[in-house]
Amino acid sequence: MQAATLSKTNLVRNELFLIFLLASVQFTNIMDFMIMFPLQDYFLKQFQIDTARFSFVLSSYSFAAAIAALIGANFIDRFNRKSAAIFLYIGFLIGTALCAVAHTYSFLLFARITAGIFGGMITGVILSIIGDVFPIEKRGKAMGGVMGAFSVASVLGVPSGIRIAMHYGWNYTFGFIVLLGLPILVLAALYLPSLPSKMEKQKVADFSQLVKVLSDRHNLFALAFFMSVILGGLTVVTSIAVYMERNMGFSKSEVSHIYEIGGICTFASSWIIGFLSDRFGKHKIFLILVLLALIPILAITHLPQDLPVHLALGVTTVFMVLVSGRVIPSMALLTSAIRPEMRGSFMSVNASLQSVATGIGALLGGAILVQLPDGTFERFDVVGYFAVGFNLLAIYLSRKVKVVS
């Protein structure tokens, strides 16, 4: 009995460490993307660009990730998950290092594309590892743990990056991400589980696996569902920092509070949401969270300029908790909507379309916002209406997602 208990305890510890390791990879990946939002004001001033050109930098990362993930979907299931994760993470760190030495708009654009090619595929591999290792009854909790990386990136990563930019320059922020990523790379090489391909060996790569994924109508519903989830948040998220700074009068340190306070609350809520998703069902929890998220989405895009800072921070915190919370049950649904032998390819396609949705969200937000002569922005409310529409579409499509594994 004692031996059995010890074995079970060791299993739990191994599962928790795996979640921690995958979350650490996601932490640097998410921070690299998220830090672009609060640094927007630096880029606008240094490169003398408008919000449309800045959103093009954001979307270039996303569209590069989309193309890479779509190509990778044809062969990702033929490789050991561990080998794929390590290779992609090395490429991501190289791309981020290039951002650290960027000195022109063109070079920054090239660096973001490089980071996007590799970073965009990492999420798909991580989700595939979760789907392979964790049974469906534990998948929501595991997904909540990995999603906690978003919270840690908000609490520690983004505020640290903002302060580094304030004192040393925005280039050093990307160097900081690389320094964080190097020990994570070593741990991944040592401790990620080896998960060999479940496909039969094929000598020549073709598009058969991609065709299989896209020829199934249930897969198409699942992919469209997650795209609408992403668009329901990113259209607003991309412009929050610069809007709060220019329109609400937030200082750069107060902008960092948005991520610190929101991240702390999101870190706690992500575990709770993961547990509730396993306990009461992914569809039900997703529906509740989306309906609740509509309130802060409309609130944050209609804030009066004379609103006290502490009240504005309250709105941004609720926004971050509920909008990021929707992703947990939606990801759990997604990883359960595909058979194990196709999960890597499916998640690569999903990562591609997720990046497309992110790029569209960035372009849409940048195109709708109009900068006035005094530096402030208008039509943020219109951005909110688009986000509401995408969330309602996500509710409809969620009923089409069927659990198969």
Side-chain angles (χ1 to χ4, degrees):
M1 175 69 76
Q2 186 175 2
T5 303
L6 181 61
S7 176
K8 184 176 180 180
T9 301
N10 288 335
L11 180 61
V12 171
R13 287 175 179 172
N14 290 338
E15 288 178 348
L16 290 176
F17 180 74
L18 177 59
I19 293 173
F20 167 77
L21 186 54
L22 295 175
S24 298
V25 173
Q26 275 295 82
F27 165 75
T28 49
N29 191 17
I30 292 170
M31 181 181 172
D32 176 79
F33 183 73
M34 284 183 60
I35 196 62
M36 293 292 291
F37 305 145
L39 295 184
Q40 180 174 354
D41 194 52
Y42 289 96
F43 296 123
L44 295 181
K45 292 176 179 177
Q46 177 167 335
F47 299 120
Q48 295 295 302
I49 57 176
D50 56 17
T51 55
R53 291 192 72 192
F54 173 75
S55 64
F56 184 69
V57 173
L58 287 178
S59 60
S60 68
Y61 176 102
S62 301
F63 291 134
I67 295 171
L70 195 61
I71 295 173
N74 297 291
F75 56 80
I76 197 68
D77 278 319
R78 301 177 185 180
F79 294 94
N80 188 299
R81 302 273 194 238
K82 177 178 180 176
S83 301
I86 292 173
F87 172 77
L88 293 172
Y89 196 54
I90 290 173
F92 160 74
L93 292 178
I94 292 173
T96 303
L98 291 175
C99 294
V101 297
H103 59 285
T104 65
Y105 177 81
S106 299
F107 194 92
L108 177 65
L109 188 62
F110 168 75
R112 295 310 293 164
I113 291 173
T114 303
I117 289 172
F118 294 96
M121 292 183 66
I122 291 175
T123 299
V125 174
I126 288 176
L127 295 179
S128 297
I129 292 174
I130 292 175
D132 289 343
V133 173
F134 293 91
I136 189 169
E137 62 270 13
K138 293 184 178 181
R139 209 167 286 162
K141 188 182 297 183
M143 203 66 68
V146 173
M147 279 300 296
F150 171 85
S151 308
V152 178
S154 300
V155 176
L156 300 177
V158 174
S160 299
I162 292 173
R163 290 189 173 91
I164 290 172
M166 289 171 60
H167 291 93
Y168 303 103
W170 62 264
N171 303 77
Y172 286 85
T173 299
F174 292 100
F176 173 67
I177 296 172
V178 175
L179 289 177
L180 287 177
L182 292 177
I184 296 172
L185 176 62
V186 173
L187 289 175
L190 292 174
Y191 297 111
L192 270 184
S194 179
L195 298 169
S197 171
K198 296 182 180 180
M199 292 181 61
E200 295 182 1
K201 296 295 182 181
Q202 299 181 32
K203 294 182 178 180
V204 181
D206 55 34
F207 290 90
S208 60
Q209 192 74 349
L210 179 61
V211 171
K212 288 180 182 178
V213 171
L214 297 179
S215 60
D216 189 322
R217 63 190 298 269
H218 296 297
N219 292 349
L220 296 179
F221 278 125
L223 293 168
F225 157 68
F226 200 67
M227 282 189 71
S228 61
V229 171
I230 297 301
L231 283 166
L234 257 297
T235 46
V236 176
V237 169
T238 53
S239 302
I240 286 178
V242 72
Y243 184 84
M244 290 295 177
E245 205 168 327
R246 298 285 185 90
N247 285 56
M248 303 299 295
F250 274 42
S251 65
K252 284 182 167 52
S253 61
E254 287 171 336
V255 168
S256 71
H257 294 336
I258 295 175
Y259 298 93
E260 290 169 339
I261 299 172
I264 290 172
C265 295
T266 304
F267 180 75
S269 64
S270 63
W271 289 92
I272 297 172
I273 292 171
F275 170 78
L276 293 175
S277 297
D278 289 338
R279 177 68 177 82
F280 297 104
K282 282 74 173 175
H283 283 103
K284 181 182 295 186
I285 297 302
F286 175 76
L287 174 62
I288 294 171
L289 288 172
V290 170
L291 292 177
L292 290 175
L294 298 181
I295 300 172
I297 287 173
L298 290 173
I300 204 170
T301 54
H302 291 77
L303 290 178
Q305 292 189 0
D306 57 350
L307 189 69
V309 170
H310 67 279
L311 292 180
L313 285 174
V315 175
T316 59
T317 299
V318 175
F319 172 88
M320 291 180 69
V321 167
L322 294 176
V323 170
S324 65
R326 305 166 310 139
V327 181
I328 296 171
S330 65
M331 278 187 171
L333 277 173
L334 207 65
T335 56
S336 305
I338 189 70
R339 297 188 303 276
E341 67 274 12
M342 294 182 62
R343 187 170 283 130
S345 297
F346 176 84
M347 295 313 299
S348 291
V349 174
N350 179 68
S352 174
L353 295 180
Q354 178 182 344
S355 297
V356 169
T358 301
I360 293 174
L363 288 176
L364 190 61
I368 293 174
L369 280 182
V370 175
Q371 184 171 340
L372 300 177
D374 61 358
T376 60
F377 296 94
E378 65 177 5
R379 299 206 299 191
F380 199 33
D381 56 335
V382 178
V383 175
Y385 298 139
F386 272 92
V388 169
F390 287 125
N391 276 287
L392 295 177
L393 177 61
I395 291 176
Y396 168 75
L397 291 174
S398 69
R399 312 314 302 176
K400 304 288 187 179
V401 179
K402 307 298 181 184
V403 175
V404 298
S405 65

